[in-house]
Amino acid sequence: MTYIVNDSCIKCKYTDCVEVCPVDCFYEGENMLVIKADECIDCGVCEPECPAEAIRPDTDPAAQPWIAINNEYAEKWPNLRRKKDAPADADAWKGVEGKFDKYFSPKPGTGNP
């Protein structure tokens, strides 16, 4: 088992999860984060830290489409090892449905310098 990030993260991009991750398995896109499965140690400390409830175990049936997306973009985006400020309008995007088709960006974030 590992964890994935789903589309609830899009445009929210809270990084509270990054702050508690003991293995730095989060990768940053322009408007969301993903988890690299082969780096995740399945500790689960990130899941309750996400204000958008975007982190789910990969054993959750609703997580299945997100496994491939997390794996693909974890290879393309920079690693994020430290917490960053969330976008100013993050709270307004929390709970919005169907964000992937409308708002997902394949562009990388900046990571941590």
Side-chain angles (χ1 to χ4, degrees), residues 2-103:
T2 187
Y3 286 82
I4 57 88
V5 179
N6 64 31
D7 65 339
S8 294
C9 185
I10 295 173
K11 291 195 168 267
C12 290
K13 200 166 108 175
Y14 299 104
T15 58
D16 303 63
C17 52
V18 173
E19 186 171 43
V20 299
C21 181
V23 294
D24 300 331
C25 66
F26 283 89
Y27 289 77
E28 182 187 20
E30 180 180 42
N31 67 4
M32 77 174 288
L33 305 176
V34 294
I35 293 173
K36 191 169 192 173
D38 59 351
E39 293 176 356
C40 177
I41 61 170
D42 311 326
C43 67
V45 297
C46 59
E47 186 179 14
E49 296 301 316
C50 180
E53 299 180 7
I55 300 173
R56 307 294 310 148
D58 68 353
T59 55
D60 180 337
Q64 294 310 302
W66 299 102
I67 295 170
I69 291 166
N70 277 245
N71 289 336
E72 177 182 352
Y73 289 97
E75 294 297 327
K76 297 177 180 179
W77 292 346
N79 186 244
L80 191 64
R81 298 173 309 282
R82 292 183 308 279
K83 183 177 178 174
K84 291 181 165 183
D85 291 336
D89 62 348
D91 288 342
W93 288 101
K94 193 167 32 170
V96 173
E97 297 287 324
K99 293 191 280 184
F100 187 81
D101 291 334
K102 293 180 182 179
Y103 305 111

